[in-house]
Amino acid sequence: MMDGMTLQETPAEDIAVTLRAQRHSYLAEGFVTAEVRKDRLRRALKCLMEYKDDYIRLISEDFGNRSAETTLFADVAASSGALRDAIKHVDKWMKPSKRKLQFPLGLLGAKAQVVPQPKGVVGLITPWNFPLTMVFVPLAQMLAAGNRVVIKPSEHTPRTSAFFKEVFAQNFDETEVAVVTGAVQTSQAFASQPWDHLMFTGAPVVGKLIMRAASENLTPVTLELGGKSPVVVGKSADLDMVAERVATFKHMNAGQICLAPDYLNIDADRRDAFVETYTKKVSSMYPTMLANDQYTSIISARHRERLEGYIEDAKAKGADVRIINPADEDFKGQNQANKLPSALILDPTEDMKVMQEEIFGPILPVRTYQKTSEVIDYVNEHERPLALYYFGQDKAEETEVLTRTTSGGVTVNDVLWHGAHENLPFGGVGNSGMGHYHGYDGFLEFSHQKSVLRHPKLSIGNLLGIVPPYTDKLRKNVERQIK
C-alpha cells in the first residue's frame, strides 16, 4: 500500500447490523420485480461509468503505477460488459422453467416448474488485482438474481476501496448494497456472519479459512481461488504465436492475474528457440520497464520481495534464470513503484518455491518434456488448476490433453480468454475453487432454484392407492411403474 494508507477496521457488530437491515428490507420487499433489478443494475453501472477516471487514478496510486489502458480494458470494460449483459437478459433469466412430470401425473393435470428465487443477502469479499472487475462482475449477477449485497473490498487497494464506499453510499440505500472496509480482522468478522451466500476470491489458503468460518452458519460459498495454471505447448504449435500470447498476459497487470499462465511446458528440442522468441516479444512490448507507465507495478513491497525471493531461491537451487531487462534499468535502485523485471526460469525443479506456490508476477518457469503424456502426468500429480492452456494444431493431442486433465477452464491456442466471456461459466475445481459465475451461470449460482409442483383437484393418492388402507391397487400400480 503506497504512502502507508490503511483502512479502519469495521467491527463485527457493525457488519451484523448491516446484514440484519438488509435481510429485514429484503423480506419486507417480497417479490423482486424485473424493473427493480434493472434499476439496481443501472445504478451499479452508474457507480462504474461516472467515476471511471477517478478509478483509473486511484488504482494507479494504489499499485504505485498502473496504466489507464490496463484499467480500462481489464476492469472498466469487463465490468461494464457484465452489468449490461445482466440488464439485457434479466427478464429472461427470471422466468420459471417448466418441467415434465413422470407418468401418470402429467396426464392428470399436475404441473411443475422451477422458480429462481433470490437467496437473500449475499456477502462479497474481493481481491486487489482487478479492483473493479472483481466487484462489479459478480455484483451484476447477484443483483440480477434479486439479492441484497454487502461488499468487502481489498485493503491492498485502500484508496479505491474507500472510494467504493463513498460511491455506493451515494447511489444505493445501505439496505440494497453496502460496502464495509478493513483488513484481516474485518475479513474474519465478515466471513463469520450468517449470509445467505458468501463469495470469496483470493488464495486457496485463505479460501479454506473462509469456508471454515462459513461452515459455522452452513452458509453456501462460491470460492474463486488460484493455482498453478499450466501452458502445454504441443510440437505442432507455432512458437511465435505461443510467445506473443503468453507474454501478453504474463505481463498484463505484471502477471498479477489469477488466470495468468503459471508455468510452461515445451518439447526439449524447441526450448531454446522459445526462450529467444519470448525474450524478443517481451522486449518489443516493453522496451523499458522501470520508466514505462504501461508496465504495472507489483502491488506492494512485500509482494515484490516475495517474487524476488522466488528468483533467488531458484538460482540457489541450480535453475538457469534469465532476467529480461531490455533497457538494463536499475531495479535495485530508486524503485519506489515496486516494479519487477520479467524473468524466465529454465528447467525448474520441484523443490523450488516458484514451482510450489502461485507466482502472481512476471516470472515464467519453463519445463521440458519428450512426450505429451509426461506433461499430463505432471499436471495430474498436482492440485487441479484454475486454467489450462494448450497450443497446437494436433487435434488428437489436444483431445488427449483436455480429456485427461481437469481444470476450471481451458483456452486453446491462447491464454486467459475463456474467462472473459459472459456466456461461459467461470470458476475453479478442487484446490482452485468451487462454484462459478458470469452471465446466466452466475444468476443461477446466486439464486435458489425452487421446485413448485401444483396438483389437480383430483386425488392422486386415491387414484394410485396410497391412501390407507392399502389394497392390491397400490401393489399393481407400483409394479406397473417399476416395469
Side-chain angles (χ1 to χ4, degrees), residues 77-106:
S79 300
S80 172
L83 289 163
R84 294 180 196 278
D85 182 73
I87 292 168
K88 180 179 179 181
H89 294 107
V90 67
D91 290 278
K92 179 181 178 181
W93 294 346
M94 287 176 61
K95 290 180 179 178
S97 59
K98 294 180 180 179
R99 299 295 175 92
K100 290 184 178 180
L101 294 172
Q102 61 202 58
F103 181 85
L105 296 182

Side-chain angles (χ1 to χ4, degrees), residues 161-454:
S161 296
F163 190 59
F164 272 143
K165 191 173 180 68
E166 294 178 25
V167 169
F168 277 99
Q170 291 169 12
N171 290 276
F172 285 91
D173 187 271
E174 196 173 39
T175 60
E176 295 176 300
V177 178
V179 177
V180 299
T181 57
V184 175
Q185 182 180 322
T186 300
S187 293
Q188 292 171 341
F190 195 96
S192 299
Q193 301 298 323
W195 307 103
D196 297 308
H197 194 103
L198 177 62
M199 179 173 175
F200 167 80
T201 300
V205 64
V206 182
K208 293 175 183 179
L209 299 176
I210 296 293
M211 190 172 182
R212 188 174 298 131
S215 71
E216 291 298 317
N217 295 301
L218 293 179
T219 298
V221 294
T222 301
L223 300 177
E224 297 303 332
L225 311 176
K228 302 191 71 62
S229 298
V231 178
V232 182
V233 182
K235 295 181 180 181
S236 61
D238 180 284
L239 286 190
D240 193 72
M241 172 197 289
V242 175
E244 179 181 286
R245 297 179 184 185
V246 171
T248 295
F249 287 108
K250 191 59 177 171
H251 295 85
M252 177 178 286
N253 210 39
Q256 297 168 113
I257 308 175
C258 62
L259 284 170
D262 206 84
Y263 65 96
L264 182 137
N265 305 271
I266 191 167
D267 53 290
D269 293 340
R270 298 202 298 169
R271 188 203 74 173
D272 291 345
F274 169 77
V275 170
E276 181 181 355
T277 306
Y278 182 85
T279 302
K280 288 179 179 177
K281 292 291 184 184
V282 174
S283 299
S284 68
M285 292 175 184
Y286 302 100
T288 63
M289 295 177 176
L290 199 58
N292 188 343
D293 286 343
Q294 294 188 5
Y295 193 71
T296 301
S297 298
I298 303 304
I299 188 65
S300 68
R302 180 174 64 86
H303 282 269
R304 175 176 57 79
E305 290 163 3
R306 172 182 61 83
L307 292 166
E308 291 171 342
Y310 289 166
I311 293 172
E312 293 307 313
D313 175 75
K315 286 180 180 178
K317 292 172 180 173
D320 181 357
V321 177
R322 311 279 181 91
I323 302 298
I324 305 173
N325 181 6
D328 196 26
E329 294 167 285
D330 180 14
F331 284 83
K332 296 294 185 182
Q334 295 298 311
N335 187 4
Q336 298 299 316
N338 290 315
K339 290 189 175 183
L340 187 78
S342 177
L344 288 168
I345 297 181
L346 309 183
D347 303 321
T349 53
E350 283 296 278
D351 62 334
M352 296 176 186
K353 292 179 181 178
V354 76
M355 294 305 294
Q356 297 170 354
E357 301 170 12
E358 184 178 9
I359 296 171
F360 236 61
I363 303 170
L364 181 66
V366 179
R367 299 179 69 254
T368 58
Y369 68 88
Q370 298 295 330
K371 296 180 181 179
T372 311
S373 59
E374 298 170 17
V375 181
I376 293 172
D377 291 342
Y378 182 86
V379 171
N380 287 336
E381 288 166 2
H382 294 76
E383 297 283 8
R384 290 174 169 176
L386 183 59
L388 181 143
Y389 305 117
Y390 171 79
F391 284 86
Q393 305 305 318
D394 185 332
K395 290 299 179 183
E397 182 180 67
E398 175 189 319
T399 299
E400 183 182 18
V401 171
L402 268 58
T403 56
R404 289 188 56 204
T405 60
T406 301
S407 59
V410 170
T411 294
V412 175
N413 285 322
D414 212 325
V415 299
L416 192 139
W417 283 105
H418 70 277
H421 293 275
E422 280 298 299
N423 284 334
L424 289 175
F426 176 69
V429 58
N431 194 66
S432 58
M434 63 178 65
H436 42 248
Y437 68 115
H438 283 192
Y440 182 55
D441 294 280
F443 173 85
L444 294 176
E445 181 84 356
F446 304 119
S447 299
H448 167 56
Q449 305 303 307
K450 183 162 68 176
S451 299
V452 178
L453 178 66
R454 293 182 173 86

